[in-house]
């Protein structure tokens, strides 16, 4: 997998840079779009780029609208899993589910759709929320010889967090690039809890400038 023209041995995972997670979207992350120019320039430094899309069928189990009397922020039990409810978002094929127009998709090697089953959510790019059903990304990356991943995108306290934590537990050396991610912080406190949890799992927090200097 070594590509002498690229700076890093690791793969870059760009999580859910979609319209619905950016200002004006159904589940907007404040300033979510401001990370995109930095992600665009970083992608060029990596030998492999994976981009994920949250890609839900209409009526998905994570949608408050699919549970009568429930609101975003409530939690329900589904298949023995605590499912937090969100506004309806990233419905397959809609404008909200499309990548943000500013994201340069040309360097992307693999686009992974997740959360595609109606009754099971998937925050992580590696496993669905039953923590058993694999997406295939582990085998893909390991099959190509990657041992290190860098995670960027949206939202820091949800899909970036669970992607990074699964990567670390699968044995990848794992970094989150702090200025290339933003949190939704729902419920309040979720972002600080996520950072604490990631740090306890030996996930490195770095700045994109550190990466450029490491070249
Ligand atoms: C996400 C909430 C629900 C995310 C996806 O991409 O972080 N958050 N679905
Ligand atoms: Zn979702």
């Amino acid at each position: 997998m070594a590509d002498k023209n690229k700076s890093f041995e690791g793969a870059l995972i760009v999580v859910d840079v979609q319209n619905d997670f950016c200002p004006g979207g159904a589940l907007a992350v404040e300033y979510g779009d401001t990370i995109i120019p930095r992600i665009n320039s970083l992608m060029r430094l990596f030998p492999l780029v994976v981009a994920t899309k949250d890609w839900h069928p209409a009526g998905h189990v994570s949608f408050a609208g699919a549970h009568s009397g429930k609101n975003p922020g409530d939690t329900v039990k589904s298949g023995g899993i605590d499912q937090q409810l969100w506004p309806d978002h990233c419905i397959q094929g809609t404008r909200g589910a499309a990548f943000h127009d500013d994201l340069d998709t040309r360097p992307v090697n693999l686009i992974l759709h997740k959360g595609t089953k109606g009754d099971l959510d998937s925050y992580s790019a590696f496993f669905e929320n039953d923590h058993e059903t694999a997406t295939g990304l582990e085998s893909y990356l390991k099959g190509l010889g990657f041992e290190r991943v860098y995670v960027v995108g949206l939202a820091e306290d949800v899909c970036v967090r669970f992607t990074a934590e699964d990567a670390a537990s699968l044995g990848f050396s794992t970094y989150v690039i702090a200025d290339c991610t933003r949190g939704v912080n729902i419920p309040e406190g979720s972002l600080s809890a996520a950072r604490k949890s990631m740090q306890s799992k030996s996930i490195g927090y770095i700045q994109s400038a550190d990466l450029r200097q490491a070249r």
Side-chain angles (χ1 to χ4, degrees):
M1 67 92 189
D3 179 339
K4 295 266 178 338
N5 297 314
K6 301 291 179 174
S7 308
F8 300 108
E9 301 273 296
L12 182 68
I13 305 177
V14 180
V15 175
D16 298 359
V17 182
Q18 292 164 274
N19 290 318
D20 271 344
F21 296 121
C22 291
L27 180 36
V29 177
E30 208 180 358
Y31 302 111
D33 56 339
T34 63
I35 62 175
I36 299 173
R38 280 191 292 274
I39 293 174
N40 286 342
S41 55
L42 270 189
M43 285 192 283
R44 303 271 168 200
L45 304 177
F46 286 87
L48 188 87
V49 180
V50 176
T52 67
K53 278 183 171 174
D54 208 36
W55 195 251
H56 301 311
H60 189 252
V61 65
S62 73
F63 296 171
H67 306 267
S68 62
K70 297 287 179 190
N71 295 305
D74 292 346
T75 301
V76 296
K77 272 258 187 244
S78 171
I81 298 169
D82 284 327
Q83 173 69 55
Q84 184 174 336
L85 300 181
W86 305 97
D88 296 19
H89 64 279
C90 294
I91 298 173
Q92 295 167 354
T94 62
R95 175 88 192 131
F99 285 129
H100 190 285
D101 286 341
D102 293 348
L103 186 73
D104 181 5
T105 56
R106 288 172 298 179
V108 175
N109 297 94
L110 175 74
I111 297 174
L112 181 87
H113 294 95
K114 62 183 182 57
T116 60
K117 296 186 178 71
D119 57 354
L120 182 58
D121 207 0
S122 188
Y123 291 157
S124 160
F126 291 96
F127 292 101
E128 305 197 36
N129 286 5
D130 60 3
H131 303 295
E132 278 178 13
T133 309
T135 63
L137 185 59
E138 177 192 7
S139 307
Y140 174 77
L141 293 175
K142 289 184 177 170
L144 292 174
F146 287 92
E147 294 173 354
R148 185 186 307 182
V149 298
Y150 295 83
V151 188
V152 299
L154 303 171
E156 181 176 356
D157 44 343
V158 190
C159 292
V160 168
R161 172 194 175 173
F162 289 100
T163 297
E165 291 189 353
D166 278 349
S169 77
L170 291 168
F172 293 98
S173 76
T174 305
Y175 298 85
V176 170
I177 306 176
D179 56 330
C180 292
T181 184
R182 284 273 177 180
V184 65
N185 204 29
I186 299 173
E188 185 71 39
S190 154
L191 185 55
S192 56
R195 287 183 179 150
K196 217 169 141 191
S197 173
M198 285 189 272
Q199 272 148 25
S200 77
K201 292 176 173 140
S202 59
I203 292 165
Y205 252 70
I206 58 169
Q207 302 290 330
S208 56
D210 302 337
L211 266 178
R212 292 175 180 289
Q213 280 157 16
R215 286 222 268 167

